[in-house]
Amino acid sequence: MAIFAANFKCNLTRAQTKAYIEGLESYVSRTQSVGKREVFVFPNQAALLENTYGFVRVGAQNAHCVENGGFTGEIGAQQLREFGIDSILIGHSERRTIFGESQEYIAQKFAYFAKAGFRIIYCIGEDLAVRQNGSVEEFLRSEFRGIDTKYENLIVAYEPIWAIGTGVSASLEDIEHTHKFLRSFLDVPLLYGGSVNETNAGEILYLANVDGVLVGSASLELTRFCEIIESKATSDTAESK
Ligand code: PGA
């Protein structure tokens, strides 16, 4: 089973998102990949749609760890429930760096949504300085502080910050090496994210310990995201040879 997740971030309107998801739903239902793929879309909060599609799962990019209350600008579990949403991204580097989410807060959020039974895509990834000074493994371990790595609905996404939105993905060697390290203590699906596109997805998905991809920019166009999903079929064919 390969996992494909589209993170729209602060892009696309509600109308665009609806048209996209309908197109994606129809694409996934038509391909032989049914049953072998799990496809998520994380729309912008203002474009959340009801999670009622047959093949595409609509999830939340973010929410505060609360049912509801005095938290200006946030959404809580009550709002997500109205949309039937039961999956969420937690720990994305843009939340950590731009919005200052600490590991303590992220761990609280994780515990809250795990208790609520959500499918959690938990994101980790080092910046360039960490990669250059050789402390990647220590750093990645620190991003699991307070996180229940045995949580049954957990998916982990390794997204090196220097590869996000830059057009330069990590090398296959770096991905393979880091995923092998993650696999040494994680028994959950492992996604890679960071400049995944329709050209490099096939070879990334072919790597050992890569169970799927989390895609930002290249997911914004439906045809490109469908090509990324399709590239798994190509890597499956290569594998069976
Ligand atoms: P990118 O973003 O594909 O644009 O690099 C990935 C992400 O932030 O999840």
Side-chain angles (χ1 to χ4, degrees):
M1 167 78 77
I3 297 171
F4 296 85
N7 176 9
F8 287 177
K9 307 188 180 185
C10 193
N11 294 294
L12 305 188
T13 63
R14 187 179 190 77
Q16 289 168 331
T17 301
K18 189 164 186 291
Y20 181 113
I21 295 183
E22 284 168 3
L24 182 60
E25 172 80 2
S26 131
Y27 167 77
V28 178
S29 68
R30 277 185 281 112
T31 60
Q32 325 138 322
S33 49
V34 175
K36 290 202 236 149
R37 314 265 179 277
E38 201 173 353
V39 179
F40 291 87
V41 173
F42 294 90
N44 180 263
Q45 313 282 45
L48 273 186
L49 298 175
E50 296 213 13
N51 180 32
T52 49
Y53 295 88
F55 301 98
V56 176
R57 198 151 165 178
V58 181
Q61 290 178 20
N62 181 42
H64 186 41
C65 40
V66 74
E67 172 69 10
N68 53 33
F71 303 97
T72 303
E74 289 292 336
I75 59 174
Q78 182 186 44
Q79 286 78 35
L80 295 182
R81 214 176 307 113
E82 187 184 25
F83 287 90
I85 287 185
D86 56 5
S87 46
I88 187 166
L89 298 179
I90 295 182
H92 191 281
S93 62
E94 286 158 8
R95 299 297 318 168
R96 293 179 193 260
T97 58
I98 304 172
F99 299 100
E101 291 190 7
S102 66
Q103 185 60 31
E104 289 63 33
Y105 174 60
I106 288 168
Q108 261 178 41
K109 219 190 249 200
F110 187 101
Y112 182 89
F113 285 102
K115 191 161 179 229
F118 273 55
R119 196 78 184 275
I120 297 177
I121 300 191
Y122 183 65
C123 306
I124 53 161
E126 81 286 355
D127 64 16
L128 198 54
V130 169
R131 166 109 347 226
Q132 285 170 343
N133 74 22
S135 52
V136 175
E137 299 189 353
E138 193 187 333
F139 180 84
L140 295 181
R141 272 199 193 273
S142 76
E143 293 198 314
F144 286 100
R145 219 181 330 114
I147 302 300
D148 175 10
T149 55
K150 302 269 181 280
Y151 175 54
E152 57 181 0
N153 275 323
L154 172 62
I155 297 170
V156 167
Y158 168 59
E159 300 201 297
I161 297 176
W162 44 276
I164 294 182
T166 58
V168 184
S169 145
S171 70
L172 296 178
E173 292 72 26
D174 282 344
I175 300 172
E176 194 161 34
H177 188 267
T178 308
H179 277 237
K180 189 172 174 205
F181 161 71
L182 294 170
R183 179 60 75 220
S184 70
F185 61 96
L186 293 171
D187 190 20
V188 300
L190 299 177
L191 313 186
Y192 168 77
S195 295
V196 173
N197 58 42
E198 62 283 21
T199 310
N200 62 19
E203 50 191 10
I204 292 173
L205 288 160
Y206 189 59
L207 295 174
N209 298 314
V210 174
D211 304 302
V213 285
L214 176 55
V215 191
S217 342
S219 74
L220 296 176
E221 276 173 52
L222 177 59
T223 50
R224 295 184 74 192
F225 192 53
C226 291
E227 277 181 53
I228 290 171
I229 297 174
E230 201 50 47
S231 66
K232 176 61 184 158
T234 317
S235 87
D236 281 348
T237 314
E239 215 161 279
S240 64
K241 278 185 186 152

